[in-house]
């Protein structure tokens, strides 16, 4: 729902929706809808490959690049420092009121992963004493993301986020290294 508090996380979303949104930043503003089944092989040898959704440019590449840079800083020196995997990565922490949900949504140029913690059957239950701490997005979710992504990206090349040749006019003075 388009309400003023949307940027503060006032909508109910699931991890797949969050991963889809965050992967759009990593792909220069191109949204790719998730696909669960990419191929079906029948016992008679026939193969069915369902049509994949078409990628759509939903953000200007320059806008996606600026978001990438901001969220990289969050891992380097913000609330997401426990998510540092020693290669280019970007991410955002999130914690709901009363500590009922905690998130870390992060991505590299070639993989997006979201970690959510909470109680799916009791959305009022707080995580105020898990191993002696209040769970926030920068604690256990960031640590879980870091441990998973360290292994999941170990066989992938360490890539920098793509910088578009041309930034939008309103970002032309925005200073960033190439």
């Amino acid at each position: 729902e388009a309400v003023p508090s949307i940027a503060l996380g006032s909508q109910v979303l699931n991890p797949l929706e969050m991963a889809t949104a965050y992967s759009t930043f990593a792909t220069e503003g191109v949204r790719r809808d998730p696909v669960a089944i990419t191929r079906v092989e029948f016992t008679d040898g026939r193969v069915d490959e369902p049509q994949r959704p078409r990628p759509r440019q939903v953000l200007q590449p320059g806008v996606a690049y600026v978001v990438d840079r901001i969220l990289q800083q969050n891992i380097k020196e913000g609330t997401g420092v426990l998510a540092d995997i020693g290669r280019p990565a970007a991410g955002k922490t999130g914690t709901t009121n009363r500590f009922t949900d905690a998130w870390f949504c992060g991505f590299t140029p070639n993989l997006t992963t979201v970690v959510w913690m909470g109680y799916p059957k009791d959305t009022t239950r707080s995580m105020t004493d898990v191993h002696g701490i209040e769970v926030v997005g920068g604690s256990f979710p960031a640590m879980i993301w870091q441990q998973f992504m360290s292994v999941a990206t170990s066989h992938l090349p360490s890539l920098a986020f793509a910088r578009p040749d041309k930034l939008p006019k309103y970002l032309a003075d925005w200073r960033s290294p190439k």
Side-chain angles (χ1 to χ4, degrees):
E1 201 177 331
V3 294
S5 62
I6 193 168
L8 300 175
S10 61
Q11 303 299 305
V12 175
L13 298 169
N14 65 49
L16 182 59
E17 291 168 319
M18 294 297 282
T20 301
Y22 276 79
S23 66
T24 301
F25 299 128
T27 57
E28 300 179 69
V30 175
R31 178 188 164 99
R32 290 177 173 83
D33 291 331
V35 176
I37 298 173
T38 59
R39 178 182 171 112
V40 177
E41 295 183 20
F42 295 93
T43 55
D44 65 3
R46 288 180 299 126
V47 175
D48 183 20
E49 295 184 21
Q51 186 174 359
R52 292 181 181 234
R54 297 180 107 160
R56 300 180 316 278
Q57 188 79 44
V58 297
L59 290 174
Q60 293 176 15
V63 172
Y65 176 74
V66 171
V67 172
D68 293 345
R69 299 282 300 166
I70 291 167
L71 296 181
Q72 285 178 74
Q73 285 304 116
N74 189 44
I75 289 178
K76 288 180 184 172
E77 57 190 16
T79 57
V81 295
L82 293 178
D84 191 349
I85 58 174
R87 63 170 54 211
K92 173 78 177 80
T93 62
T95 309
T96 58
N97 297 342
R98 299 181 318 277
F99 304 95
T100 56
D101 295 280
W103 297 80
F104 189 84
C105 303
F107 54 95
T108 67
N110 40 21
L111 184 62
T112 300
T113 302
V114 171
V115 174
W116 169 79
M117 286 183 70
Y119 295 97
K121 294 190 190 303
D122 184 359
T123 59
T124 64
R125 186 172 176 188
S126 295
M127 296 181 291
T128 54
D129 186 14
V130 177
H131 296 285
I133 68 166
E134 292 176 326
V135 178
V136 296
S139 65
F140 293 121
M143 290 187 279
I144 292 166
W145 188 90
Q146 187 277 339
Q147 289 177 14
F148 174 80
M149 288 294 280
S150 291
V151 174
T153 61
S154 65
H155 70 287
L156 299 173
S158 180
L159 303 172
F161 288 94
R163 184 183 196 277
D165 293 331
K166 186 176 179 186
L167 292 173
K169 263 187 191 176
Y170 58 89
L171 296 174
D173 290 334
W174 192 74
R175 306 285 181 233
S176 68
K178 283 193 175 188

